[in-house]
Structures are given as C-alpha cells and as structure tokens.
C-alpha cells in the first residue's frame, strides 16, 4: 500500500511538473508577443515620435519591450526551476513575476494617461513644429516625419493647407515659390508641384493632419494599454 501511495505521489508530481512546464512555455510565448508589440509600435511610429513633445508614448513602448524580455527570461527560468526543484530559482522566478506585473500595469496606465492628453498636445504643438522646424537646419528627422505624415494620411498642414503660409521654409527663398511642401501633392513626383495650392493638386482634408495622426496614435495606445493590462490580469488569475 505504501508503494502505491509513493507511486501516486510520483505520478502527481510528474503531472504537476509538466503542467508548470506548459504554463511557463505559454508564458514565454506571451513575453515574445508583448515584446513584439512594443517593437512594432516603435518601428511603426519612429518617425512620428519626433512630432510629439511628450515622451510618454515612447516610454510606454519601451516598458512593454522590457517587460517582454523579462517575461521570456522568466519563462525559461520557470522551466528550469520546475524540473530542478531549486528554491533559489523559484524565489527569483516569483520576484521576476512581480516585476513583470508592475511593468505591464505601468505601461497600461501610461498609455491611458497619454490617451487622455494626446488631443491637447497635438493642438498645441503639431502646427508649431511644422511651421517652425520643417526643412530647418538639424531638423531632418522632423522634415522626414512631416513628409511621411502628409503622404501616408493624404493630408496637408496641421489643421489645413493654409497653415503652411506661416512656415519659415515656405516664406524663404529655398521654397522656390511653393505654397505648400511637395508632400502635400497627390502626385509628389512632379517637380515643384507644391506651387499649385488647389484641391485638384493637393490634399484638402477636413481637420488636417492632426485628426489623422491623433486617430492613428490612439489606436496604437489602445493596443499598448490592452496588452499591458491584459497580460497582467492573466498573471493574477
């Protein structure tokens, strides 16, 4: 009877080990997904980040990447701790779980906070950035971001194409009598197409680029917040 009891305990222990191994493997995959979301956000937004005065958006993405890396390390550590049954590894494992939980909650909270203040920030800063920094010395990253923004979202100017009338570059001789940058044109390959400020030639979008950029970033912030808080809730459950 003692032998049967020992055998049952052994079977139970083995099953528990494999169950924990499966959990840690899935946890490792989840870490890869979290890290991928963070990297995707930064790569997708790398140009547009230069148009934002606040760094909260970028910080949220970096936190997700950090959390993803720690999750993957924790998953491997959890597998080792399960099979080797080392208490020290298990302690480190649970400390890392706590760090991951806090990082993911922080990323979610930051994304939510920035979600609330994004509209005001864009209203206050996007137009100023466009008219003051476009095609200015040491502002190539801003110029590239603005051109990409206007072409990808088919818009012109912060609120409207008339914003470019205040541009430092448009007012200079370097603009070569353009009314708007060539990136506002529906067919930007035509040389000096920005000279003709007409709806048939340039994008005339209600709300300008602010509305387009805001919607784009808000969608990504929702993803960041959902991933961060969602994975944290899975850990708790």
């Amino acid at each position: 009877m003692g032998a049967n009891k020992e055998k049952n305990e052994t079977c139970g222990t083995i099953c528990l080990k494999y169950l924990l191994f499966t959990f840690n493997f899935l946890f490792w995959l989840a870490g890869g997904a979290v890290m991928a979301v963070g990297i995707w956000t930064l790569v997708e937004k790398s140009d547009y980040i230069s148009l934002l005065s606040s760094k909260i958006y970028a910080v949220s993405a970096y936190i997700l990447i950090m959390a993803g890396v720690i999750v993957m390390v924790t998953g491997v550590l959890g597998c080792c701790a399960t099979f080797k049954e080392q208490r020290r590894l298990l302690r480190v494992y649970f400390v890392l779980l706590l760090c991951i939980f806090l990082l993911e909650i922080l990323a979610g909270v930051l994304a939510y906070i920035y979600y609330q203040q994004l509209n005001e920030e864009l209203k206050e800063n996007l137009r100023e950035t466009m008219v003051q920094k476009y095609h200015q010395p040491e502002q190539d990253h801003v110029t590239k971001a603005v051109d990409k923004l206007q072409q990808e979202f088919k818009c012109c100017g912060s609120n409207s194409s008339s914003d470019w009338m205040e541009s430092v570059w448009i007012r200079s001789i370097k603009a070569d009598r353009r009314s708007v940058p060539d990136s506002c044109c529906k067919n930007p390959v035509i040389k000096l197409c920005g000279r003709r400020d007409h709806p048939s030639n340039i994008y005339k979008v209600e709300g300008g680029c602010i509305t387009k950029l805001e919607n784009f970033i808000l969608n990504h912030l929702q993803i960041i917040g959902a991933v961060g808080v969602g994975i944290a809730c899975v850990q708790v459950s």
Side-chain angles (χ1 to χ4, degrees):
M1 185 172 178
N4 288 334
K5 183 178 180 182
E6 183 179 347
K7 184 178 179 181
N8 288 334
E9 286 179 354
T10 303
C11 290
T13 302
I14 291 173
C15 290
L16 181 60
K17 282 185 177 181
Y18 278 102
L19 184 64
L20 289 172
F21 177 84
T22 303
F23 168 77
N24 282 297
F25 178 71
L26 294 175
F27 198 50
W28 181 82
L29 290 178
V34 169
M35 185 173 64
V37 169
I39 293 173
W40 167 68
T41 300
L42 288 178
V43 171
E44 191 78 8
K45 293 285 199 222
S46 58
D47 291 322
Y48 299 144
I49 286 173
S50 61
L51 301 177
L52 305 173
S53 60
S54 174
K55 301 300 180 185
I56 294 178
Y57 177 78
V59 168
S60 298
Y62 281 119
I63 289 174
L64 270 190
I65 294 173
M66 187 187 305
V69 171
I70 297 176
V71 166
M72 295 183 76
V73 171
T74 304
V76 174
L77 189 64
C79 291
C80 294
T82 300
F83 282 100
K84 292 186 177 181
E85 298 182 8
Q86 293 186 5
R87 290 186 178 181
R88 289 182 181 178
L89 280 179
L90 287 171
R91 289 194 192 105
V92 174
Y93 175 72
F94 286 115
V95 168
L96 287 176
L97 281 180
L98 178 60
C99 290
I100 293 164
F101 176 76
L102 294 175
L103 281 173
E104 287 165 347
I105 288 294
L106 180 59
V109 169
L110 285 176
Y112 177 78
I113 291 172
Y114 193 52
Y115 184 96
Q116 303 299 314
Q117 68 182 51
L118 179 63
N119 182 267
E120 287 303 315
E121 180 189 326
L122 289 177
K123 283 181 180 179
E124 292 175 7
N125 298 294
L126 186 59
R127 183 179 181 279
E128 190 70 15
T129 298
M130 282 183 161
V131 300
Q132 296 295 333
K133 296 182 178 181
Y134 186 78
H135 267 305
Q136 297 305 298
E138 300 181 1
Q139 298 295 336
D140 290 343
H141 59 294
V142 173
T143 302
K144 180 183 176 183
V146 170
D147 285 338
K148 181 180 178 180
L149 174 66
Q150 295 189 141
Q151 275 296 296
E152 282 195 357
F153 295 121
K154 298 181 179 180
C155 57
C156 184
S158 177
N159 297 291
S160 68
S161 59
S162 61
D163 290 338
W164 286 110
M165 294 175 63
E166 304 297 323
S167 167
V168 174
W169 178 69
I170 289 294
R171 288 181 167 187
S172 71
I173 194 172
K174 294 179 181 178
D176 201 2
R177 295 184 288 113
R178 289 180 176 86
S179 298
V180 294
D182 291 345
S183 57
C184 282
C185 299
K186 295 178 180 179
N187 190 2
V189 296
I190 299 175
K191 190 176 181 180
L192 300 175
C193 62
R195 287 179 175 178
R196 186 165 169 262
D197 183 7
H198 190 273
S200 63
N201 182 53
I202 69 168
Y203 295 114
K204 296 276 189 178
V205 180
E206 185 178 349
C209 292
I210 278 185
T211 304
K212 298 282 188 176
L213 181 58
E214 181 183 7
N215 290 336
F216 186 56
I217 294 179
L218 287 179
N219 289 336
H220 280 73
L221 285 174
Q222 287 175 341
I223 294 173
I224 290 175
V227 169
V229 176
I231 296 295
C233 289
V234 169
Q235 284 179 240
V236 172
S237 61

